[in-house]
Amino acid sequence: MCIRDIANWDHVNGNHWAQNWSPQTEIGQDNAHLLELKWLFPFPHSSVAGDRLIGAGAQEGSIAPPLIIDGVLYVATNWRDIYAFDLDTGELLWINEFSYDVDAAMAKNPNFGGFSVGHIHGLNYDNGLLWTSNLYCTIRAVHAKTGETAFMSEDQCLDIPGNGPYNWPGYSGPGKCNIASHPGSLYRKENIVIQGFCGADLNWGGRMFMRGYDMNYNPPQEIWTTYMQPPAEGDPDWALRNCAKGWFFSYPAFVEDGRTGIPCSEVPEENLVNDWGVPKHWSSAVAAQWGQQAIDEETGIVYFGTGNQGGWANQTWIPGPNLYAGSLVALDAKTGEIVWWYQHVVRDMVEGDSSWNTILAEIPWNGVQTKVVIKLSTTGLIWMHDAATGEALWVFEAPHLKSRVDPDGVPRGRTGCVPEIGGEPRTQDGYWNDPMDHWDMQGKSWLNEPSTDFFCWMPVRAGESDVAFDPERNLMVAAISDGWGSKNAVGPFCGIGCLAAVSGDYASTAMNTTIYAVDTTTGDIEWSFFIDKVAFRGGVIISNGVVYAPAADGILYVLNADTGALIDSLNVGVALGAQPTMGTTASGRTVLIQSNGVGFTGGGIGGINPAASGSIMVYGLPDIMPEPEVIIERVEVEVEKVVEIEREVEVIVEKEVPVEVEKEVIKTEEVISPISYVIIGLGVVLAVVSGVLYTRTRK
């Protein structure tokens, strides 16, 4: 395994294998409770972007996990500025300010559409450059030393073969792109960056693709492009072309037969033909690729998850499994050729994407060291795959998410809604469409068809976070939420060309989260930690036997990685929507960094609200560690004097027989002054302080 320098956290999820793990040894189970706030930097209000974002809004705060490179902390705000700080002192070193004219870009590129605002999920670092996510179809990199922009290549989505024009009643034009993918990852051996582009939601239809760039050129030069969905005119054999390389997940087969995946070759061909429609409907597409990719430098294979099927609510004109939405894909980084694929949510009808991080690991499996890929889906299920073949070695379903049985004795899945509403029981209210079932693949258009009444969707976004892997313990840790019950209706039912739409009653149940630790060699639960009435978004990390889990209640939970016991809780005071990171300062001290502040409101993304500017908070151990105080406890014991008389010889012999002896007992007790972490009303304080402390430096 390739392990990066322990001083750094150089990718969104820590290392090149996206493990959310740090091998540092300074902070551990015996002292993590001593963590104290070293310094903080309040983010300014997003209005500082001013007129630098023409035609676009700016969201508050940051949900990008900070990077730590050679004693410098880097973080990106939701309005896409990048900050660099001295990790020891908190001194602001530079700011790279992002400027973009969205109106001009949309006038130039007819493929632009959808969101004109967007948050940035993170940064990656390689070869002295900070890579950002690619809103507006750009590739942007910044010099880590100076903050100067190395390059920003625009127009990556200007001419997309097969992206239209569509000519449907109600719409005519190209598919629209604008959802940002995660920062690209570098295949270091060949100096190739792999980046995802385009993506859709309910009604945009832009043709999502992955692209490899030769970084020996400035700007980078395209090497290959691989499309994740068919062209607008359709491709009747789309799902058949790479069928020999792929797998489908079938929930009924998993529950009833214990099968962790069905080879595509077993699925009847009539279930797979005309995938996505012929011609493809304009309102459907693969959502963007977000979540850190994992790259195997030995094999040159890059692993990544894809977003949901963009037209998920109403698939009246979208037959087939909809490859490669909601899938895990392995690509050859040199050529872009698909090595294998596994579709986690087949013919997605409830936004079941396989986003967030894709973990590459090496574990003992059946006595053999085996490379595996671990993937959480927003459905709340977790798969561990053989990295070479894509076969699912185990599938983890959290106990609290397993099927509900209604009072009438019928299993209706993981719903929290009205019992009498439900689809086919075998497919969990339609949540899990079965690739072996022709109706599920070619007939059914929405979850509870033919009913036009409300249906249940529960849990909503149960796996909305990054997971962690500890290679020292072969332990995977993940946060799984109940999400919330959502009672929905699909519509309108007005024929071809209609927009997909969902109307619903959200937040009908309490949001709860359970942190699970799973032994990757068996798929069994080692321990769990329950957080009542709290949603979760962002991710967990693990290091030196400690798990750090930030939740929407503003508390960073510090847990024992071996037992799940609570070591400590850091009350930040503002809802947390991104995992912390760890790194080493220039002076050699390990620190924990937690960003806070979120740019969105409402419960649609993990129940995190309200919007807040937030800050960067850096925690470390005390400069002077508390010494154990020695307490000497003296125990007074009486010595009884016993006199024995021997009368036969008429001699009196006096003896002292000690019954007990005096003992000096020494006990040690660690006496530590309590440290308060509670910051009351931090959001208000930061809003005031930011106006005083913030200084802009244009680069």
Side-chain angles (χ1 to χ4, degrees), residues 32-279:
H33 64 289
L34 299 176
L35 287 170
E36 62 183 20
L37 184 64
K38 294 297 184 181
W39 60 267
L40 68 81
F41 178 87
F43 290 122
H45 191 272
S46 61
S47 59
V48 299
D51 59 2
R52 291 188 281 116
L53 298 179
I54 301 174
Q59 298 183 350
E60 295 301 319
S62 172
I63 60 169
L67 301 187
I68 302 95
I69 313 295
D70 300 333
V72 179
L73 182 153
Y74 302 94
V75 66
T77 66
N78 280 329
W79 61 91
R80 313 181 79 74
D81 286 356
I82 301 175
Y83 291 69
F85 300 91
D86 183 299
L87 188 54
D88 261 316
T89 65
E91 177 189 357
L92 178 61
L93 302 178
W94 53 255
I95 306 174
N96 180 284
E97 296 181 326
F98 180 70
S99 300
Y100 202 74
D101 188 335
V102 178
D103 292 340
M106 293 184 72
K108 177 182 179 181
N109 188 348
N111 297 328
F112 273 168
F115 287 133
S116 60
V117 298
H119 47 263
I120 176 171
H121 277 257
L123 298 169
N124 283 342
Y125 171 87
D126 260 310
N127 290 352
L129 298 177
L130 299 167
W131 300 83
T132 73
S133 60
N134 67 339
L135 191 66
Y136 315 123
C137 289
T138 62
I139 304 177
R140 178 179 169 224
V142 171
H143 288 292
K145 291 292 186 183
T146 65
E148 296 177 348
T149 299
F151 54 79
M152 187 164 125
S153 297
E154 302 183 51
D155 303 331
Q156 300 302 310
C157 304
L158 184 59
D159 297 305
I160 305 175
N163 194 44
Y166 292 94
N167 188 21
W168 294 96
Y171 179 78
S172 179
K176 301 293 186 180
C177 303
N178 212 8
I179 296 182
S181 291
H182 246 53
S185 293
L186 181 70
Y187 175 38
R188 294 164 178 163
K189 185 176 180 180
E190 300 288 341
N191 206 25
I192 297 173
V193 162
I194 299 92
Q195 176 71 68
F197 288 99
C198 205
D201 209 318
L202 286 177
N203 53 15
W204 302 339
R207 193 180 189 196
M208 187 261 175
F209 58 93
M210 303 294 293
R211 182 167 286 169
Y213 292 89
D214 187 340
M215 289 305 301
N216 294 309
Y217 297 86
N218 188 356
Q221 187 174 92
E222 177 185 344
I223 303 173
W224 52 260
T225 299
T226 300
Y227 294 97
M228 294 288 102
Q229 63 192 60
E233 61 270 21
D235 181 347
D237 297 330
W238 177 257
L240 301 174
R241 296 189 184 284
N242 285 311
C243 187
K245 299 179 179 180
W247 307 74
F248 293 108
F249 179 67
S250 167
Y251 190 83
F254 172 60
V255 171
E256 297 166 12
D257 304 319
R259 300 191 69 181
T260 58
I262 296 177
C264 179
S265 57
E266 290 187 19
V267 178
E269 185 173 311
E270 59 267 25
N271 292 2
L272 305 177
V273 296
N274 299 326
D275 192 24
W276 292 96
V278 182

Side-chain angles (χ1 to χ4, degrees), residues 4 6 9 19-32 468-473 475 477 540-548 558-562 567 580-583 590-592:
R4 45 133 181 87
I6 67 170
W9 187 285
Q19 293 176 336
N20 264 347
W21 169 75
S22 171
Q24 65 82 32
T25 57
E26 183 180 349
I27 302 172
Q29 296 173 355
D30 59 343
N31 61 13
F469 172 77
D470 186 339
E472 297 172 342
R473 290 168 170 77
L475 192 71
V477 182
V540 297
I541 71 170
I542 187 168
S543 180
N544 196 22
V546 180
V547 173
Y548 303 88
V558 183
L559 308 175
N560 186 309
D562 296 315
I567 295 174
T581 58
M582 300 189 82
T590 299
V591 292
L592 175 77

Side-chain angles (χ1 to χ4, degrees), residues 187-379:
Y187 175 38
R188 294 164 178 163
K189 185 176 180 180
E190 300 288 341
N191 206 25
I192 297 173
V193 162
I194 299 92
Q195 176 71 68
F197 288 99
C198 205
D201 209 318
L202 286 177
N203 53 15
W204 302 339
R207 193 180 189 196
M208 187 261 175
F209 58 93
M210 303 294 293
R211 182 167 286 169
Y213 292 89
D214 187 340
M215 289 305 301
N216 294 309
Y217 297 86
N218 188 356
Q221 187 174 92
E222 177 185 344
I223 303 173
W224 52 260
T225 299
T226 300
Y227 294 97
M228 294 288 102
Q229 63 192 60
E233 61 270 21
D235 181 347
D237 297 330
W238 177 257
L240 301 174
R241 296 189 184 284
N242 285 311
C243 187
K245 299 179 179 180
W247 307 74
F248 293 108
F249 179 67
S250 167
Y251 190 83
F254 172 60
V255 171
E256 297 166 12
D257 304 319
R259 300 191 69 181
T260 58
I262 296 177
C264 179
S265 57
E266 290 187 19
V267 178
E269 185 173 311
E270 59 267 25
N271 292 2
L272 305 177
V273 296
N274 299 326
D275 192 24
W276 292 96
V278 182
K280 177 186 167 297
H281 195 274
W282 72 274
S283 71
S284 62
V286 179
Q289 187 272 310
W290 65 89
Q292 187 189 321
Q293 308 160 18
I295 299 182
D296 188 338
E297 287 290 331
E298 294 179 348
T299 63
I301 297 176
V302 55
Y303 304 90
F304 60 89
T306 62
N308 51 275
Q309 196 285 98
W312 54 267
N314 186 344
Q315 291 184 282
T316 303
W317 311 104
I318 313 168
N322 306 153
L323 285 179
Y324 295 91
S327 301
L328 176 62
V329 181
L331 281 184
D332 186 318
K334 299 181 294 296
T335 66
E337 180 184 359
I338 293 178
V339 178
W340 57 258
W341 55 268
Y342 186 111
Q343 191 170 34
H344 294 135
V345 179
V346 183
R347 201 165 187 227
D348 174 26
M349 292 181 175
V350 284
E351 202 179 14
D353 49 271
S354 286
S355 300
W356 299 89
N357 63 329
T358 299
I359 289 178
L360 181 62
E362 191 168 2
I363 67 167
W365 182 258
N366 292 333
V368 178
Q369 283 296 110
T370 304
K371 286 182 180 177
V372 298
V373 180
I374 300 169
K375 194 77 194 70
L376 168 68
S377 163
T378 55
T379 61

Side-chain angles (χ1 to χ4, degrees), residues 273-566:
V273 296
N274 299 326
D275 192 24
W276 292 96
V278 182
K280 177 186 167 297
H281 195 274
W282 72 274
S283 71
S284 62
V286 179
Q289 187 272 310
W290 65 89
Q292 187 189 321
Q293 308 160 18
I295 299 182
D296 188 338
E297 287 290 331
E298 294 179 348
T299 63
I301 297 176
V302 55
Y303 304 90
F304 60 89
T306 62
N308 51 275
Q309 196 285 98
W312 54 267
N314 186 344
Q315 291 184 282
T316 303
W317 311 104
I318 313 168
N322 306 153
L323 285 179
Y324 295 91
S327 301
L328 176 62
V329 181
L331 281 184
D332 186 318
K334 299 181 294 296
T335 66
E337 180 184 359
I338 293 178
V339 178
W340 57 258
W341 55 268
Y342 186 111
Q343 191 170 34
H344 294 135
V345 179
V346 183
R347 201 165 187 227
D348 174 26
M349 292 181 175
V350 284
E351 202 179 14
D353 49 271
S354 286
S355 300
W356 299 89
N357 63 329
T358 299
I359 289 178
L360 181 62
E362 191 168 2
I363 67 167
W365 182 258
N366 292 333
V368 178
Q369 283 296 110
T370 304
K371 286 182 180 177
V372 298
V373 180
I374 300 169
K375 194 77 194 70
L376 168 68
S377 163
T378 55
T379 61
L381 267 70
I382 304 172
W383 288 258
M384 188 177 82
H385 300 267
D386 186 306
T389 66
E391 178 186 4
L393 303 178
W394 51 253
V395 179
F396 175 77
E397 182 177 21
H400 73 278
L401 293 185
K402 289 186 178 178
S403 296
R404 176 199 88 208
V405 177
D406 282 333
D408 59 4
V410 176
R412 288 198 173 89
R414 303 185 293 171
T415 75
C417 303
V418 184
E420 65 267 24
I421 301 174
E424 166 57 45
R426 289 184 68 254
T427 56
Q428 288 221 324
D429 291 326
Y431 198 7
W432 304 104
N433 285 318
D434 187 352
M436 304 300 287
D437 188 280
H438 186 74
W439 167 249
D440 281 357
M441 292 297 96
Q442 298 286 331
K444 182 168 59 177
S445 297
W446 57 90
L447 283 179
N448 57 338
E449 188 186 6
S451 173
T452 57
D453 204 343
F454 284 91
F455 62 85
C456 291
W457 174 16
M458 172 69 184
V460 176
R461 314 291 292 178
E464 186 76 5
S465 63
D466 289 321
V467 300
F469 172 77
D470 186 339
E472 297 172 342
R473 290 168 170 77
N474 293 316
L475 192 71
M476 182 216 68
V477 182
I480 308 296
S481 293
D482 288 344
W484 55 94
S486 176
K487 197 170 74 169
N488 304 271
V490 170
F493 302 94
C494 55
I496 200 165
C498 283
L499 296 178
V502 179
S503 58
D505 174 19
Y506 292 92
S508 60
T509 58
M511 305 177 194
N512 302 310
T513 298
T514 304
I515 310 295
Y516 286 99
V518 177
D519 183 341
T520 57
T521 64
T522 62
D524 296 332
I525 297 173
E526 289 292 298
W527 53 261
S528 63
F529 180 84
F530 180 70
I531 308 174
D532 192 20
K533 297 181 176 63
V534 175
F536 199 95
R537 182 192 193 277
V540 297
I541 71 170
I542 187 168
S543 180
N544 196 22
V546 180
V547 173
Y548 303 88
D553 57 359
I555 294 177
L556 175 59
Y557 293 88
V558 183
L559 308 175
N560 186 309
D562 296 315
T563 66
L566 180 67

